[in-house]
Amino acid sequence: MTRRSLLALTAAAPLAAPLVTAAGGPAAAAPAAVGAAGPTAVGGERLAQGGVQVRGATGLPRKLTARAWLVADCETGEVLASYQAHQRLAPASTLKMLFADTVLKKFARTERHTVTEADLAGIPEGSSLVGIQPGTTYTVEQLWQGVFLRSGNDAVHVLAHMNGGVPRTVAEMQAKADDLQALDTHVVSPDGYDHPGQLSSAYDLTLFARHGLKNDDFRSYCATRTADFPAGGRKTFQIQNTDRLLTGSWGLKTYGGLIGVKNGYTSHAGNTFTGAAVRGGRTLLVTVMHPAAGSNAVYEETAALLDWGFTQGGSAQAVGTLVEPLSEGGARAGSASTRQNAQGAAGASGAAAHSPSAWRLLEGGAGTVALLAGGVWALRRRLRKASAASGSAASGSAASGAASPGAAASGPESSASGPGSRAAAAGSRPAAGSEPAPGAPAAGESRGRHRR
């Protein structure tokens, strides 16, 4: 390498250094992207802001550990208080509310369907099941009871096949989310099972619940505590709703006035829940996602927020609003970039495990440096030729110090990663699914990795 090549390499290094920083930046910031709300937040700008959002009221529960929560008036759509309303997190079985919003009206309650092996194909291993058997005939009402009471993925898949198949149902669910203006939601499966990129938010789940409660069948199913379910032949067995605030199970008392709607649990999402209750003629919605620990925490924090909403929350001024569906005359909220950000966040979450390492990025930057240096050297060689002797001497000098630029280049990379690591340790939350489950349901409540 000539002296001029070395000079060109030194000059080109600063140009290539930003390539390492730029490529490494998004990978390091992926968790933040999952929680980003986009430049225009649906429902109001305050809902895009971090931290607790409340105005005109005090007394919010102090011991809230959820990564996101929201309290809203079901009738007016006013958001009374929220925390990280648009943070995109794994929804677990609360996504079944969107499934019901999409499919429920398509089949009469009394319609009968005999289940085949094909209807049950493709159910993920470890799914929660209500116990549907091939060859047995069920009414649509019984299938929906399996969905709402036991969060049965087998019931979801049977209804999805009746609807034309899982892929078609997923596409229709995404279209329904778009119509409801639930722009934080990316649907991968109809049942809420853990899949890379399957995301929603406290805001969107509240939209799904509010829309569903306008339907009498939806409202009836989510309020049902127990039901008799076919066991083959003329036999039946009783199923019980896994919503602990509705049934008062696992050490919890029933919440007065509760009317549903849906709970969820997976090892990826932890516990999630959207509940609705009526008191004094007022209906409130509360969504709680990913509390820190304990299988009852999601219910306890929901009950605490409902209590606040019915008391001190009565004086709260809206910090946002639940938007209306586009198909029902709702004004279009957000922007195209909001949807693009939502899809990008879903992709970032699903591909996080495959992100390039800092060393790979550094290798790419070094390759860019080499190409730039070679081009500059070739150009200058045409303009000026050095003597063979001086060229040889310069080459020897460059060879003796060739390791220095590489060592120097690794310094900024190491120091740049330090502050980011300290910032993450100081208080940033992990991306959805990167933490262990906050608290599994009590033994016997569910099967395998996917739970209600």
Side-chain angles (χ1 to χ4, degrees):
M1 182 181 293
T2 67
R3 180 172 58 85
R4 296 185 181 89
S5 298
L6 183 59
L7 291 173
L9 179 64
T10 304
L15 298 175
L19 295 175
V20 177
T21 304
V34 171
T40 304
V42 177
E45 292 297 334
R46 287 196 64 167
L47 300 183
Q49 299 175 17
V52 174
Q53 300 301 316
V54 65
R55 184 174 62 172
T58 59
L60 276 168
R62 294 184 178 181
K63 296 182 179 180
L64 296 176
T65 65
R67 296 178 67 186
W69 54 261
L70 184 145
V71 183
D73 187 302
C74 188
E75 303 301 326
T76 66
E78 292 181 340
V79 176
L80 307 180
S82 69
Y83 174 72
Q84 305 294 87
H86 284 289
Q87 183 172 6
R88 298 178 182 102
L89 299 166
S93 287
T94 49
L95 192 65
K96 289 182 172 77
M97 293 188 293
L98 176 61
F99 173 70
D101 287 343
T102 305
V103 180
L104 187 59
K105 293 182 179 180
K106 296 189 176 186
F107 306 102
R109 293 172 70 117
T110 56
E111 185 174 335
R112 300 173 67 83
H113 177 77
T114 301
V115 175
T116 67
E117 293 282 358
D119 292 337
L120 300 175
I123 297 175
E125 183 180 357
S127 288
S128 56
L129 305 171
V130 66
I132 290 177
Q133 303 175 17
T136 300
T137 300
Y138 302 85
T139 64
V140 166
E141 179 179 11
Q142 290 166 337
L143 292 173
W144 281 114
Q145 288 171 343
V147 172
F148 276 91
L149 275 66
R150 299 306 300 175
S151 204
N153 286 2
D154 47 357
V156 170
H157 277 252
V158 171
L159 287 164
H161 279 277
M162 291 173 64
N163 187 52
V166 170
R168 175 177 176 175
T169 301
V170 167
E172 290 181 355
M173 288 173 66
Q174 189 65 66
K176 187 67 174 179
D178 293 346
D179 176 62
L180 295 176
Q181 307 199 66
L183 303 188
D184 301 322
T185 297
H186 182 252
V187 183
V188 178
S189 72
D191 47 32
Y193 191 86
D194 286 342
H195 291 287
Q198 182 141 278
L199 300 170
S200 192
S201 66
Y203 182 88
D204 286 7
L205 293 179
T206 310
L207 286 180
F208 301 155
R210 186 186 186 217
H211 181 75
L213 289 172
K214 296 177 183 178
N215 179 281
D216 289 340
D217 286 340
F218 184 109
R219 199 179 185 102
S220 172
Y221 290 136
C222 73
T224 301
R225 289 176 169 81
T226 62
D228 292 329
F229 201 78
R234 296 185 178 181
K235 297 180 180 180
T236 62
F237 61 96
Q238 188 180 81
I239 58 176
Q240 184 180 37
N241 200 313
T242 58
D243 179 348
R244 301 179 190 181
L245 289 183
L246 186 68
T247 61
S249 59
W250 302 103
L252 290 174
K253 296 180 180 180
T254 57
Y255 190 87
L258 194 81
I259 56 175
V261 280
K262 191 72 189 75
N263 56 339
Y265 174 83
T266 69
S267 57
H268 177 65
N271 292 283
T272 57
F273 182 59
T274 297
V278 180
R279 286 186 182 177
R282 189 184 189 198
T283 303
L284 295 183
L285 288 162
V286 168
T287 294
V288 172
M289 301 185 75
H290 301 219
S295 59
N296 277 341
V298 72
Y299 301 103
E300 292 167 345
E301 295 186 18
T302 297
L305 286 168
L306 283 170
D307 284 344
W308 175 83
F310 286 122
T311 54
Q312 291 100 319
S315 62
Q317 301 175 39
V319 294
T321 185
L322 301 178
V323 295
E324 299 296 331
L326 296 175
S327 61
E328 298 178 14
R332 186 176 295 277
S335 62
S337 58
T338 307
R339 162 57 65 192
Q340 292 169 359
N341 287 346
Q343 294 173 340
S349 175
H354 306 289
S355 298
S357 68
W359 288 110
R360 290 295 183 190
L361 296 172
L362 187 59
E363 289 174 5
T368 303
V369 169
L371 288 174
L372 289 171
V376 173
W377 177 79
L379 180 62
R380 291 185 176 179
R381 189 184 181 196
R382 290 188 178 186
L383 299 176
R384 187 186 301 171
K385 292 184 179 180
S387 66
S390 63
S392 176
S395 177
S397 175
S400 65
S404 180
S410 66
E413 177 70 7
S414 301
S415 63
S417 64
S421 300
R422 289 193 294 273
S428 64
R429 295 177 181 236
S434 63
E435 61 184 5
E445 185 177 6
S446 54
R447 300 178 177 89
R449 186 170 69 94
H450 178 88
R451 304 179 174 89
R452 289 163 292 282

